[in-house]
Amino acid sequence: MRTPIIAGNWKMNKTPAESVAFAEALLPAINDLAGAEKVVIPTYVALPGVNQALAGSQIRVGAQDCHPEPSGAYTSSIAAPMLVGLAEYVVIGHSETRQYLGVTDEQVNGKLKAALAAGLKPIVALGEVLEQRRAGQHREVCQTQLRAALDGIPAEAIPGLVIAYEPVWAIGTGENASVADAEEIIGGVLRPTVAELYGQPAADAVRIQYGGSVKPDNMAEYMALPDIDGALVGGASLKMDSFAELIRLAIQAKGG
Ligand code: PGA
């Protein structure tokens, strides 16, 4: 039985002070909701404060990215070892980093290796853009991204991995993918690809989230699918009521 995981990606929102205040407000609202893993992913500069505010709680902290190299002349970048002690999870390959920062599949693979080497738990995000879906290439694109990300990753790392299927056209647009679209990729492509590469037990263990305009009014339908193990949430994670509701809905659907 896979524990559902709901991760709130705050992106470039909230100052450190606002992030800490939000974390402190979330604590009584969601800390005791059992049956799902709860993760908040603030901006880097808010990590120390948020991590401290949530110390000893049931809410995990994640970072939004990391660099493939452990250190070096990479002005503006954050290396995985720098996140140790501040974050437990790290998002890798988010479409906004692919789109705006030019992160390639090869770099996603390097970042994943770096995260694992530092002992962080990676959330590997992938998904097709609208043109690829319109051209009927979405299955192939997602499989290629996953294979590239996992290149050289040892089998023992797979059960600890979280994969997030986030069709780019659904992120921040309010236009969420249909449940059938999500299942086509998660149950039809991603889990079978993990099975092909690492065997069925690994595919049964790996958690796969859906992401892209997840809101309280569409959460339950995704969570009803056995293949979908939670959500990576942007906009709806920035408000306490909606984030708490997403967690409740996941727990309800997964029988927690
Ligand atoms: P959204 O973002 O929920 O605002 O669509 C999802 C994400 O980028 O993880």
PDB file of all heavy atoms in Angstrom, residues 114-155:
ATOM      1  N   ALA A 114      22.443  13.717  -8.038  1.00  0.00           N
ATOM      2  CA  ALA A 114      22.971  14.575  -6.977  1.00  0.00           C
ATOM      3  C   ALA A 114      22.068  14.536  -5.746  1.00  0.00           C
ATOM      4  O   ALA A 114      22.538  14.474  -4.607  1.00  0.00           O
ATOM      5  CB  ALA A 114      23.104  16.011  -7.482  1.00  0.00           C
ATOM      6  N   ALA A 115      20.757  14.575  -5.980  1.00  0.00           N
ATOM      7  CA  ALA A 115      19.805  14.549  -4.864  1.00  0.00           C
ATOM      8  C   ALA A 115      19.944  13.247  -4.088  1.00  0.00           C
ATOM      9  O   ALA A 115      19.992  13.242  -2.852  1.00  0.00           O
ATOM     10  CB  ALA A 115      18.381  14.705  -5.384  1.00  0.00           C
ATOM     11  N   LEU A 116      20.016  12.135  -4.807  1.00  0.00           N
ATOM     12  CA  LEU A 116      20.132  10.830  -4.139  1.00  0.00           C
ATOM     13  C   LEU A 116      21.449  10.730  -3.384  1.00  0.00           C
ATOM     14  O   LEU A 116      21.488  10.215  -2.261  1.00  0.00           O
ATOM     15  CB  LEU A 116      20.010   9.704  -5.180  1.00  0.00           C
ATOM     16  CG  LEU A 116      18.619   9.539  -5.802  1.00  0.00           C
ATOM     17  CD1 LEU A 116      18.675   8.587  -6.992  1.00  0.00           C
ATOM     18  CD2 LEU A 116      17.603   9.057  -4.770  1.00  0.00           C
ATOM     19  N   ALA A 117      22.512  11.243  -3.986  1.00  0.00           N
ATOM     20  CA  ALA A 117      23.823  11.193  -3.321  1.00  0.00           C
ATOM     21  C   ALA A 117      23.802  11.983  -2.020  1.00  0.00           C
ATOM     22  O   ALA A 117      24.495  11.653  -1.062  1.00  0.00           O
ATOM     23  CB  ALA A 117      24.910  11.729  -4.259  1.00  0.00           C
ATOM     24  N   ALA A 118      22.995  13.042  -1.983  1.00  0.00           N
ATOM     25  CA  ALA A 118      22.917  13.875  -0.772  1.00  0.00           C
ATOM     26  C   ALA A 118      21.915  13.321   0.233  1.00  0.00           C
ATOM     27  O   ALA A 118      21.752  13.881   1.321  1.00  0.00           O
ATOM     28  CB  ALA A 118      22.535  15.303  -1.158  1.00  0.00           C
ATOM     29  N   GLY A 119      21.215  12.253  -0.149  1.00  0.00           N
ATOM     30  CA  GLY A 119      20.235  11.660   0.775  1.00  0.00           C
ATOM     31  C   GLY A 119      18.890  12.362   0.763  1.00  0.00           C
ATOM     32  O   GLY A 119      18.085  12.175   1.674  1.00  0.00           O
ATOM     33  N   LEU A 120      18.643  13.183  -0.263  1.00  0.00           N
ATOM     34  CA  LEU A 120      17.334  13.852  -0.382  1.00  0.00           C
ATOM     35  C   LEU A 120      16.361  12.930  -1.098  1.00  0.00           C
ATOM     36  O   LEU A 120      16.768  12.021  -1.831  1.00  0.00           O
ATOM     37  CB  LEU A 120      17.490  15.156  -1.176  1.00  0.00           C
ATOM     38  CG  LEU A 120      18.428  16.194  -0.570  1.00  0.00           C
ATOM     39  CD1 LEU A 120      18.726  17.300  -1.578  1.00  0.00           C
ATOM     40  CD2 LEU A 120      17.832  16.780   0.703  1.00  0.00           C
ATOM     41  N   LYS A 121      15.063  13.174  -0.888  1.00  0.00           N
ATOM     42  CA  LYS A 121      14.039  12.374  -1.558  1.00  0.00           C
ATOM     43  C   LYS A 121      13.540  13.151  -2.779  1.00  0.00           C
ATOM     44  O   LYS A 121      12.917  14.207  -2.614  1.00  0.00           O
ATOM     45  CB  LYS A 121      12.872  12.098  -0.603  1.00  0.00           C
ATOM     46  CG  LYS A 121      13.270  11.282   0.616  1.00  0.00           C
ATOM     47  CD  LYS A 121      12.082  11.130   1.551  1.00  0.00           C
ATOM     48  CE  LYS A 121      12.454  10.311   2.789  1.00  0.00           C
ATOM     49  NZ  LYS A 121      11.410  10.369   3.823  1.00  0.00           N
ATOM     50  N   PRO A 122      13.779  12.636  -3.959  1.00  0.00           N
ATOM     51  CA  PRO A 122      13.433  13.403  -5.155  1.00  0.00           C
ATOM     52  C   PRO A 122      11.968  13.238  -5.578  1.00  0.00           C
ATOM     53  O   PRO A 122      11.386  12.165  -5.473  1.00  0.00           O
ATOM     54  CB  PRO A 122      14.336  12.807  -6.238  1.00  0.00           C
ATOM     55  CG  PRO A 122      15.238  11.830  -5.546  1.00  0.00           C
ATOM     56  CD  PRO A 122      14.563  11.436  -4.274  1.00  0.00           C
ATOM     57  N   ILE A 123      11.409  14.348  -6.046  1.00  0.00           N
ATOM     58  CA  ILE A 123      10.126  14.333  -6.751  1.00  0.00           C
ATOM     59  C   ILE A 123      10.457  14.718  -8.190  1.00  0.00           C
ATOM     60  O   ILE A 123      10.800  15.865  -8.470  1.00  0.00           O
ATOM     61  CB  ILE A 123       9.125  15.347  -6.155  1.00  0.00           C
ATOM     62  CG1 ILE A 123       8.843  15.032  -4.672  1.00  0.00           C
ATOM     63  CG2 ILE A 123       7.831  15.382  -6.965  1.00  0.00           C
ATOM     64  CD1 ILE A 123       7.956  16.065  -3.955  1.00  0.00           C
ATOM     65  N   VAL A 124      10.431  13.744  -9.071  1.00  0.00           N
ATOM     66  CA  VAL A 124      10.838  13.989 -10.458  1.00  0.00           C
ATOM     67  C   VAL A 124       9.603  14.350 -11.279  1.00  0.00           C
ATOM     68  O   VAL A 124       8.682  13.539 -11.429  1.00  0.00           O
ATOM     69  CB  VAL A 124      11.508  12.737 -11.061  1.00  0.00           C
ATOM     70  CG1 VAL A 124      11.924  13.006 -12.500  1.00  0.00           C
ATOM     71  CG2 VAL A 124      12.711  12.320 -10.224  1.00  0.00           C
ATOM     72  N   ALA A 125       9.598  15.583 -11.792  1.00  0.00           N
ATOM     73  CA  ALA A 125       8.432  16.055 -12.534  1.00  0.00           C
ATOM     74  C   ALA A 125       8.685  15.979 -14.039  1.00  0.00           C
ATOM     75  O   ALA A 125       9.788  16.260 -14.511  1.00  0.00           O
ATOM     76  CB  ALA A 125       8.101  17.497 -12.132  1.00  0.00           C
ATOM     77  N   LEU A 126       7.659  15.583 -14.756  1.00  0.00           N
ATOM     78  CA  LEU A 126       7.760  15.491 -16.211  1.00  0.00           C
ATOM     79  C   LEU A 126       6.382  15.659 -16.818  1.00  0.00           C
ATOM     80  O   LEU A 126       5.362  15.596 -16.111  1.00  0.00           O
ATOM     81  CB  LEU A 126       8.393  14.161 -16.620  1.00  0.00           C
ATOM     82  CG  LEU A 126       7.727  12.880 -16.089  1.00  0.00           C
ATOM     83  CD1 LEU A 126       6.572  12.441 -16.977  1.00  0.00           C
ATOM     84  CD2 LEU A 126       8.752  11.755 -16.009  1.00  0.00           C
ATOM     85  N   GLY A 127       6.354  15.871 -18.115  1.00  0.00           N
ATOM     86  CA  GLY A 127       5.063  16.023 -18.799  1.00  0.00           C
ATOM     87  C   GLY A 127       5.246  16.702 -20.139  1.00  0.00           C
ATOM     88  O   GLY A 127       6.249  17.381 -20.377  1.00  0.00           O
ATOM     89  N   GLU A 128       4.264  16.499 -20.996  1.00  0.00           N
ATOM     90  CA  GLU A 128       4.350  17.032 -22.354  1.00  0.00           C
ATOM     91  C   GLU A 128       3.787  18.442 -22.466  1.00  0.00           C
ATOM     92  O   GLU A 128       2.966  18.850 -21.630  1.00  0.00           O
ATOM     93  CB  GLU A 128       3.583  16.103 -23.321  1.00  0.00           C
ATOM     94  CG  GLU A 128       2.073  16.291 -23.357  1.00  0.00           C
ATOM     95  CD  GLU A 128       1.340  15.705 -22.156  1.00  0.00           C
ATOM     96  OE1 GLU A 128       1.971  15.070 -21.298  1.00  0.00           O
ATOM     97  OE2 GLU A 128       0.092  15.914 -22.074  1.00  0.00           O
ATOM     98  N   VAL A 129       4.213  19.173 -23.483  1.00  0.00           N
ATOM     99  CA  VAL A 129       3.621  20.484 -23.765  1.00  0.00           C
ATOM    100  C   VAL A 129       2.433  20.279 -24.708  1.00  0.00           C
ATOM    101  O   VAL A 129       2.237  19.198 -25.275  1.00  0.00           O
ATOM    102  CB  VAL A 129       4.651  21.477 -24.370  1.00  0.00           C
ATOM    103  CG1 VAL A 129       5.807  21.717 -23.397  1.00  0.00           C
ATOM    104  CG2 VAL A 129       5.168  21.004 -25.711  1.00  0.00           C
ATOM    105  N   LEU A 130       1.649  21.336 -24.879  1.00  0.00           N
ATOM    106  CA  LEU A 130       0.395  21.230 -25.632  1.00  0.00           C
ATOM    107  C   LEU A 130       0.599  20.735 -27.071  1.00  0.00           C
ATOM    108  O   LEU A 130      -0.147  19.876 -27.547  1.00  0.00           O
ATOM    109  CB  LEU A 130      -0.324  22.584 -25.628  1.00  0.00           C
ATOM    110  CG  LEU A 130      -1.736  22.587 -26.201  1.00  0.00           C
ATOM    111  CD1 LEU A 130      -2.640  21.599 -25.479  1.00  0.00           C
ATOM    112  CD2 LEU A 130      -2.343  23.999 -26.123  1.00  0.00           C
ATOM    113  N   GLU A 131       1.621  21.256 -27.732  1.00  0.00           N
ATOM    114  CA  GLU A 131       1.838  20.852 -29.137  1.00  0.00           C
ATOM    115  C   GLU A 131       2.108  19.356 -29.227  1.00  0.00           C
ATOM    116  O   GLU A 131       1.683  18.694 -30.170  1.00  0.00           O
ATOM    117  CB  GLU A 131       3.028  21.602 -29.766  1.00  0.00           C
ATOM    118  CG  GLU A 131       2.897  23.115 -29.829  1.00  0.00           C
ATOM    119  CD  GLU A 131       3.070  23.780 -28.470  1.00  0.00           C
ATOM    120  OE1 GLU A 131       4.105  23.549 -27.825  1.00  0.00           O
ATOM    121  OE2 GLU A 131       2.155  24.507 -28.044  1.00  0.00           O
ATOM    122  N   GLN A 132       2.842  18.841 -28.250  1.00  0.00           N
ATOM    123  CA  GLN A 132       3.154  17.401 -28.260  1.00  0.00           C
ATOM    124  C   GLN A 132       1.892  16.577 -28.044  1.00  0.00           C
ATOM    125  O   GLN A 132       1.701  15.540 -28.668  1.00  0.00           O
ATOM    126  CB  GLN A 132       4.204  17.093 -27.182  1.00  0.00           C
ATOM    127  CG  GLN A 132       5.564  17.685 -27.521  1.00  0.00           C
ATOM    128  CD  GLN A 132       6.507  17.722 -26.330  1.00  0.00           C
ATOM    129  OE1 GLN A 132       6.096  17.825 -25.179  1.00  0.00           O
ATOM    130  NE2 GLN A 132       7.807  17.653 -26.617  1.00  0.00           N
ATOM    131  N   ARG A 133       1.023  17.063 -27.175  1.00  0.00           N
ATOM    132  CA  ARG A 133      -0.228  16.327 -26.966  1.00  0.00           C
ATOM    133  C   ARG A 133      -1.090  16.397 -28.223  1.00  0.00           C
ATOM    134  O   ARG A 133      -1.647  15.393 -28.658  1.00  0.00           O
ATOM    135  CB  ARG A 133      -0.993  16.877 -25.757  1.00  0.00           C
ATOM    136  CG  ARG A 133      -2.365  16.252 -25.573  1.00  0.00           C
ATOM    137  CD  ARG A 133      -2.928  16.433 -24.192  1.00  0.00           C
ATOM    138  NE  ARG A 133      -2.324  15.526 -23.222  1.00  0.00           N
ATOM    139  CZ  ARG A 133      -2.830  14.327 -22.912  1.00  0.00           C
ATOM    140  NH1 ARG A 133      -3.920  13.862 -23.501  1.00  0.00           N
ATOM    141  NH2 ARG A 133      -2.246  13.568 -22.017  1.00  0.00           N
ATOM    142  N   ARG A 134      -1.170  17.581 -28.823  1.00  0.00           N
ATOM    143  CA  ARG A 134      -1.994  17.721 -30.031  1.00  0.00           C
ATOM    144  C   ARG A 134      -1.478  16.837 -31.150  1.00  0.00           C
ATOM    145  O   ARG A 134      -2.238  16.352 -31.981  1.00  0.00           O
ATOM    146  CB  ARG A 134      -1.995  19.180 -30.496  1.00  0.00           C
ATOM    147  CG  ARG A 134      -2.858  20.052 -29.601  1.00  0.00           C
ATOM    148  CD  ARG A 134      -3.292  21.312 -30.304  1.00  0.00           C
ATOM    149  NE  ARG A 134      -4.219  22.079 -29.501  1.00  0.00           N
ATOM    150  CZ  ARG A 134      -4.090  23.374 -29.222  1.00  0.00           C
ATOM    151  NH1 ARG A 134      -3.075  24.062 -29.696  1.00  0.00           N
ATOM    152  NH2 ARG A 134      -4.992  23.975 -28.485  1.00  0.00           N
ATOM    153  N   ALA A 135      -0.148  16.628 -31.166  1.00  0.00           N
ATOM    154  CA  ALA A 135       0.449  15.789 -32.207  1.00  0.00           C
ATOM    155  C   ALA A 135       0.411  14.307 -31.826  1.00  0.00           C
ATOM    156  O   ALA A 135       0.949  13.463 -32.550  1.00  0.00           O
ATOM    157  CB  ALA A 135       1.890  16.234 -32.456  1.00  0.00           C
ATOM    158  N   GLY A 136      -0.199  14.002 -30.688  1.00  0.00           N
ATOM    159  CA  GLY A 136      -0.309  12.607 -30.256  1.00  0.00           C
ATOM    160  C   GLY A 136       1.004  12.015 -29.779  1.00  0.00           C
ATOM    161  O   GLY A 136       1.182  10.798 -29.747  1.00  0.00           O
ATOM    162  N   GLN A 137       1.933  12.905 -29.365  1.00  0.00           N
ATOM    163  CA  GLN A 137       3.259  12.415 -28.952  1.00  0.00           C
ATOM    164  C   GLN A 137       3.411  12.317 -27.436  1.00  0.00           C
ATOM    165  O   GLN A 137       4.509  12.042 -26.946  1.00  0.00           O
ATOM    166  CB  GLN A 137       4.338  13.376 -29.473  1.00  0.00           C
ATOM    167  CG  GLN A 137       4.397  13.474 -30.981  1.00  0.00           C
ATOM    168  CD  GLN A 137       5.192  14.692 -31.440  1.00  0.00           C
ATOM    169  OE1 GLN A 137       5.426  15.619 -30.662  1.00  0.00           O
ATOM    170  NE2 GLN A 137       5.600  14.688 -32.700  1.00  0.00           N
ATOM    171  N   HIS A 138       2.340  12.571 -26.697  1.00  0.00           N
ATOM    172  CA  HIS A 138       2.499  12.702 -25.243  1.00  0.00           C
ATOM    173  C   HIS A 138       2.999  11.434 -24.570  1.00  0.00           C
ATOM    174  O   HIS A 138       3.799  11.494 -23.645  1.00  0.00           O
ATOM    175  CB  HIS A 138       1.202  13.193 -24.597  1.00  0.00           C
ATOM    176  CG  HIS A 138      -0.018  12.450 -25.015  1.00  0.00           C
ATOM    177  ND1 HIS A 138      -0.513  12.522 -26.293  1.00  0.00           N
ATOM    178  CD2 HIS A 138      -0.840  11.615 -24.338  1.00  0.00           C
ATOM    179  CE1 HIS A 138      -1.597  11.761 -26.372  1.00  0.00           C
ATOM    180  NE2 HIS A 138      -1.807  11.195 -25.203  1.00  0.00           N
ATOM    181  N   ARG A 139       2.541  10.294 -25.038  1.00  0.00           N
ATOM    182  CA  ARG A 139       2.997   9.039 -24.412  1.00  0.00           C
ATOM    183  C   ARG A 139       4.506   8.869 -24.592  1.00  0.00           C
ATOM    184  O   ARG A 139       5.236   8.569 -23.656  1.00  0.00           O
ATOM    185  CB  ARG A 139       2.258   7.844 -25.017  1.00  0.00           C
ATOM    186  CG  ARG A 139       0.753   7.853 -24.729  1.00  0.00           C
ATOM    187  CD  ARG A 139       0.044   6.741 -25.477  1.00  0.00           C
ATOM    188  NE  ARG A 139       0.466   5.419 -25.044  1.00  0.00           N
ATOM    189  CZ  ARG A 139      -0.144   4.709 -24.106  1.00  0.00           C
ATOM    190  NH1 ARG A 139      -1.228   5.166 -23.532  1.00  0.00           N
ATOM    191  NH2 ARG A 139       0.314   3.530 -23.753  1.00  0.00           N
ATOM    192  N   GLU A 140       4.913   9.075 -25.829  1.00  0.00           N
ATOM    193  CA  GLU A 140       6.331   8.916 -26.167  1.00  0.00           C
ATOM    194  C   GLU A 140       7.193   9.949 -25.423  1.00  0.00           C
ATOM    195  O   GLU A 140       8.266   9.622 -24.900  1.00  0.00           O
ATOM    196  CB  GLU A 140       6.448   9.101 -27.678  1.00  0.00           C
ATOM    197  CG  GLU A 140       7.775   8.780 -28.281  1.00  0.00           C
ATOM    198  CD  GLU A 140       7.800   9.237 -29.747  1.00  0.00           C
ATOM    199  OE1 GLU A 140       6.763   9.106 -30.441  1.00  0.00           O
ATOM    200  OE2 GLU A 140       8.852   9.743 -30.165  1.00  0.00           O
ATOM    201  N   VAL A 141       6.726  11.189 -25.369  1.00  0.00           N
ATOM    202  CA  VAL A 141       7.486  12.257 -24.709  1.00  0.00           C
ATOM    203  C   VAL A 141       7.670  11.932 -23.223  1.00  0.00           C
ATOM    204  O   VAL A 141       8.775  12.042 -22.674  1.00  0.00           O
ATOM    205  CB  VAL A 141       6.760  13.620 -24.871  1.00  0.00           C
ATOM    206  CG1 VAL A 141       7.320  14.666 -23.914  1.00  0.00           C
ATOM    207  CG2 VAL A 141       6.850  14.098 -26.311  1.00  0.00           C
ATOM    208  N   CYS A 142       6.610  11.506 -22.570  1.00  0.00           N
ATOM    209  CA  CYS A 142       6.697  11.222 -21.131  1.00  0.00           C
ATOM    210  C   CYS A 142       7.596  10.014 -20.872  1.00  0.00           C
ATOM    211  O   CYS A 142       8.372   9.997 -19.911  1.00  0.00           O
ATOM    212  CB  CYS A 142       5.305  10.993 -20.543  1.00  0.00           C
ATOM    213  SG  CYS A 142       4.315  12.504 -20.530  1.00  0.00           S
ATOM    214  N   GLN A 143       7.497   9.029 -21.753  1.00  0.00           N
ATOM    215  CA  GLN A 143       8.358   7.860 -21.569  1.00  0.00           C
ATOM    216  C   GLN A 143       9.827   8.235 -21.758  1.00  0.00           C
ATOM    217  O   GLN A 143      10.689   7.813 -20.991  1.00  0.00           O
ATOM    218  CB  GLN A 143       7.971   6.732 -22.527  1.00  0.00           C
ATOM    219  CG  GLN A 143       8.704   5.457 -22.159  1.00  0.00           C
ATOM    220  CD  GLN A 143       8.400   4.312 -23.088  1.00  0.00           C
ATOM    221  OE1 GLN A 143       8.541   4.460 -24.298  1.00  0.00           O
ATOM    222  NE2 GLN A 143       7.983   3.199 -22.523  1.00  0.00           N
ATOM    223  N   THR A 144      10.094   9.047 -22.771  1.00  0.00           N
ATOM    224  CA  THR A 144      11.470   9.479 -23.029  1.00  0.00           C
ATOM    225  C   THR A 144      12.014  10.284 -21.845  1.00  0.00           C
ATOM    226  O   THR A 144      13.156  10.084 -21.409  1.00  0.00           O
ATOM    227  CB  THR A 144      11.516  10.335 -24.316  1.00  0.00           C
ATOM    228  OG1 THR A 144      11.022   9.536 -25.391  1.00  0.00           O
ATOM    229  CG2 THR A 144      12.926  10.801 -24.634  1.00  0.00           C
ATOM    230  N   GLN A 145      11.198  11.187 -21.308  1.00  0.00           N
ATOM    231  CA  GLN A 145      11.645  11.988 -20.163  1.00  0.00           C
ATOM    232  C   GLN A 145      11.931  11.103 -18.950  1.00  0.00           C
ATOM    233  O   GLN A 145      12.918  11.304 -18.244  1.00  0.00           O
ATOM    234  CB  GLN A 145      10.586  13.035 -19.792  1.00  0.00           C
ATOM    235  CG  GLN A 145      10.501  14.181 -20.806  1.00  0.00           C
ATOM    236  CD  GLN A 145       9.451  15.215 -20.428  1.00  0.00           C
ATOM    237  OE1 GLN A 145       8.619  14.991 -19.550  1.00  0.00           O
ATOM    238  NE2 GLN A 145       9.471  16.349 -21.093  1.00  0.00           N
ATOM    239  N   LEU A 146      11.076  10.111 -18.727  1.00  0.00           N
ATOM    240  CA  LEU A 146      11.282   9.242 -17.569  1.00  0.00           C
ATOM    241  C   LEU A 146      12.536   8.374 -17.750  1.00  0.00           C
ATOM    242  O   LEU A 146      13.350   8.255 -16.839  1.00  0.00           O
ATOM    243  CB  LEU A 146      10.058   8.352 -17.334  1.00  0.00           C
ATOM    244  CG  LEU A 146      10.156   7.442 -16.109  1.00  0.00           C
ATOM    245  CD1 LEU A 146      10.348   8.250 -14.822  1.00  0.00           C
ATOM    246  CD2 LEU A 146       8.926   6.547 -15.975  1.00  0.00           C
ATOM    247  N   ARG A 147      12.676   7.804 -18.935  1.00  0.00           N
ATOM    248  CA  ARG A 147      13.866   6.973 -19.191  1.00  0.00           C
ATOM    249  C   ARG A 147      15.143   7.788 -19.029  1.00  0.00           C
ATOM    250  O   ARG A 147      16.123   7.311 -18.453  1.00  0.00           O
ATOM    251  CB  ARG A 147      13.824   6.404 -20.612  1.00  0.00           C
ATOM    252  CG  ARG A 147      12.884   5.232 -20.778  1.00  0.00           C
ATOM    253  CD  ARG A 147      12.901   4.780 -22.243  1.00  0.00           C
ATOM    254  NE  ARG A 147      12.134   3.576 -22.409  1.00  0.00           N
ATOM    255  CZ  ARG A 147      12.590   2.350 -22.151  1.00  0.00           C
ATOM    256  NH1 ARG A 147      13.827   2.174 -21.742  1.00  0.00           N
ATOM    257  NH2 ARG A 147      11.812   1.296 -22.316  1.00  0.00           N
ATOM    258  N   ALA A 148      15.129   9.006 -19.535  1.00  0.00           N
ATOM    259  CA  ALA A 148      16.318   9.862 -19.434  1.00  0.00           C
ATOM    260  C   ALA A 148      16.603  10.199 -17.972  1.00  0.00           C
ATOM    261  O   ALA A 148      17.758  10.165 -17.525  1.00  0.00           O
ATOM    262  CB  ALA A 148      16.110  11.140 -20.245  1.00  0.00           C
ATOM    263  N   ALA A 149      15.554  10.499 -17.222  1.00  0.00           N
ATOM    264  CA  ALA A 149      15.745  10.848 -15.805  1.00  0.00           C
ATOM    265  C   ALA A 149      16.347   9.682 -15.038  1.00  0.00           C
ATOM    266  O   ALA A 149      17.192   9.863 -14.161  1.00  0.00           O
ATOM    267  CB  ALA A 149      14.407  11.255 -15.181  1.00  0.00           C
ATOM    268  N   LEU A 150      15.911   8.469 -15.377  1.00  0.00           N
ATOM    269  CA  LEU A 150      16.310   7.282 -14.600  1.00  0.00           C
ATOM    270  C   LEU A 150      17.596   6.633 -15.099  1.00  0.00           C
ATOM    271  O   LEU A 150      18.044   5.639 -14.509  1.00  0.00           O
ATOM    272  CB  LEU A 150      15.175   6.247 -14.618  1.00  0.00           C
ATOM    273  CG  LEU A 150      13.867   6.668 -13.940  1.00  0.00           C
ATOM    274  CD1 LEU A 150      12.821   5.563 -14.057  1.00  0.00           C
ATOM    275  CD2 LEU A 150      14.104   7.047 -12.482  1.00  0.00           C
ATOM    276  N   ASP A 151      18.195   7.202 -16.113  1.00  0.00           N
ATOM    277  CA  ASP A 151      19.394   6.595 -16.691  1.00  0.00           C
ATOM    278  C   ASP A 151      20.494   6.439 -15.624  1.00  0.00           C
ATOM    279  O   ASP A 151      20.940   7.429 -15.038  1.00  0.00           O
ATOM    280  CB  ASP A 151      19.895   7.471 -17.852  1.00  0.00           C
ATOM    281  CG  ASP A 151      21.040   6.802 -18.597  1.00  0.00           C
ATOM    282  OD1 ASP A 151      21.013   5.568 -18.749  1.00  0.00           O
ATOM    283  OD2 ASP A 151      21.985   7.514 -19.001  1.00  0.00           O
ATOM    284  N   GLY A 152      20.892   5.216 -15.366  1.00  0.00           N
ATOM    285  CA  GLY A 152      21.971   4.973 -14.409  1.00  0.00           C
ATOM    286  C   GLY A 152      21.541   5.046 -12.947  1.00  0.00           C
ATOM    287  O   GLY A 152      22.384   4.978 -12.050  1.00  0.00           O
ATOM    288  N   ILE A 153      20.251   5.190 -12.697  1.00  0.00           N
ATOM    289  CA  ILE A 153      19.774   5.242 -11.303  1.00  0.00           C
ATOM    290  C   ILE A 153      19.611   3.798 -10.805  1.00  0.00           C
ATOM    291  O   ILE A 153      18.946   2.981 -11.444  1.00  0.00           O
ATOM    292  CB  ILE A 153      18.419   5.988 -11.201  1.00  0.00           C
ATOM    293  CG1 ILE A 153      18.549   7.423 -11.733  1.00  0.00           C
ATOM    294  CG2 ILE A 153      17.896   5.969  -9.757  1.00  0.00           C
ATOM    295  CD1 ILE A 153      19.527   8.309 -11.011  1.00  0.00           C
ATOM    296  N   PRO A 154      20.227   3.462  -9.669  1.00  0.00           N
ATOM    297  CA  PRO A 154      20.183   2.076  -9.194  1.00  0.00           C
ATOM    298  C   PRO A 154      18.790   1.666  -8.714  1.00  0.00           C
ATOM    299  O   PRO A 154      18.017   2.502  -8.232  1.00  0.00           O
ATOM    300  CB  PRO A 154      21.174   2.063  -8.024  1.00  0.00           C
ATOM    301  CG  PRO A 154      21.258   3.479  -7.581  1.00  0.00           C
ATOM    302  CD  PRO A 154      20.992   4.346  -8.784  1.00  0.00           C
ATOM    303  N   ALA A 155      18.510   0.390  -8.835  1.00  0.00           N
ATOM    304  CA  ALA A 155      17.185  -0.144  -8.495  1.00  0.00           C
ATOM    305  C   ALA A 155      16.779   0.170  -7.062  1.00  0.00           C
ATOM    306  O   ALA A 155      15.605   0.425  -6.787  1.00  0.00           O
ATOM    307  CB  ALA A 155      17.167  -1.654  -8.723  1.00  0.00           C
TER     308      ALA A 155
END
